[in-house]
Amino acid sequence: MKRFYHLFALVSFFIFLGANLHASPLRGYIVTKNGRQLTGYIGEVYQSDYSSIVVFINDFGSVYHIHAELIKGFVYKNEENYVAYASMPVRNAWHFLRIIEKGKALSLYQAPESQVTVGFIQGSFQVKRYEVSEFWLQFENKKPTRIRKVGYKGKMRRLLRKTAPELSQKIGREGYKFQDLPGIVREYNHFLSQKRWKI
């Protein structure tokens, strides 16, 4: 029964994709598993608990719905700058996460702000889109760890306590709150790089 629900959700997901192609795809490229860059246009990113899919339109106009496990990631250019997403193994599946800060010791990623749920609600099939604020931290050679606003202070202090105790104590103070995660990651990477060079 559970397997049938997953299959049903996936089929419904594709129906939803076909009906909701981004009106104005942005110029960019996908990165294949072997590191090749295929240019074209990036449409919307769709994320559910079971899958993450990007709409990619190649230079010939062919449209593809690509699952996160099939590529390394993708990049597109908006009006201001470049935006990059990496394929990451989280929530027992592969998902696209936006790269916010990339460092040798610690990196910060963000789940797509908009996610999709599909299923039967009060007797009828419904597809709903909702907003999320979910970040992921990845320490060197470790799996990503989810960070949410609720419980942020305690979790961050535990994660940083062993390698950066002074930074750990600052968590929760002004300048070290949930919205300051990019700066905290930069500070952590700077601290670790300085520590490695000390003899």
Side-chain angles (χ1 to χ4, degrees):
M1 184 70 183
K2 191 175 181 181
R3 191 172 180 182
F4 171 78
Y5 176 77
H6 287 299
L7 181 61
F8 174 75
L10 190 60
V11 170
S12 305
F13 199 54
F14 276 111
I15 293 170
F16 180 74
L17 286 177
N20 289 275
L21 184 61
H22 198 284
S24 55
L26 299 169
R27 187 69 183 165
Y29 58 88
I30 60 172
V31 182
T32 65
K33 287 290 189 181
N34 62 4
R36 287 186 61 201
Q37 294 181 6
L38 303 179
T39 59
Y41 294 86
I42 304 297
E44 291 205 52
V45 181
Y46 297 93
Q47 186 131 297
S48 73
D49 290 339
Y50 312 109
S51 185
S52 191
I53 296 172
V54 63
V55 176
F56 175 67
I57 304 146
N58 69 14
D59 289 327
F60 301 103
S62 300
V63 180
Y64 299 90
H65 299 132
I66 304 174
H67 286 262
E69 64 267 24
L70 300 178
I71 59 175
K72 281 188 174 181
F74 62 90
V75 177
Y76 65 83
K77 175 93 164 54
N78 61 22
E79 293 178 1
E80 299 173 0
N81 47 32
Y82 286 94
V83 179
Y85 280 80
S87 299
M88 307 288 289
V90 295
R91 292 197 214 95
N92 299 316
W94 284 83
H95 291 274
F96 291 118
L97 299 179
R98 182 177 177 177
I99 302 170
I100 305 296
E101 287 289 332
K102 188 76 172 168
K104 188 172 182 180
L106 181 61
S107 296
L108 176 66
Y109 303 90
Q110 183 180 15
E113 293 85 351
S114 182
Q115 295 192 14
V116 173
T117 57
V118 293
F120 282 100
I121 300 171
Q122 295 179 344
S124 64
F125 175 73
Q126 295 181 24
V127 178
K128 287 193 173 183
R129 184 189 292 264
Y130 61 98
E131 301 302 309
V132 295
S133 180
E134 183 179 273
F135 290 86
W136 296 79
L137 287 173
Q138 185 179 33
F139 289 87
E140 189 176 9
N141 300 320
K142 292 188 177 178
K143 289 183 177 180
T145 301
R146 183 166 53 186
I147 299 292
R148 288 178 169 170
K149 197 166 186 176
V150 176
Y152 154 79
K153 182 178 174 180
K155 188 166 188 177
M156 279 298 291
R157 284 190 169 184
R158 285 193 302 274
L159 289 170
L160 302 177
R161 188 174 295 138
K162 189 175 179 180
T163 51
E166 289 182 11
L167 178 58
S168 173
Q169 287 302 310
K170 294 178 184 177
I171 299 300
R173 298 179 191 170
E174 194 64 36
Y176 294 88
K177 298 183 184 295
F178 182 76
Q179 64 268 22
D180 304 310
L181 271 169
I184 294 168
V185 171
R186 285 193 295 271
E187 186 171 333
Y188 180 87
N189 282 314
H190 177 73
F191 171 76
L192 263 288
S193 67
Q194 297 292 104
K195 188 177 178 182
R196 284 170 177 166
W197 284 103
K198 286 182 180 178
I199 298 174

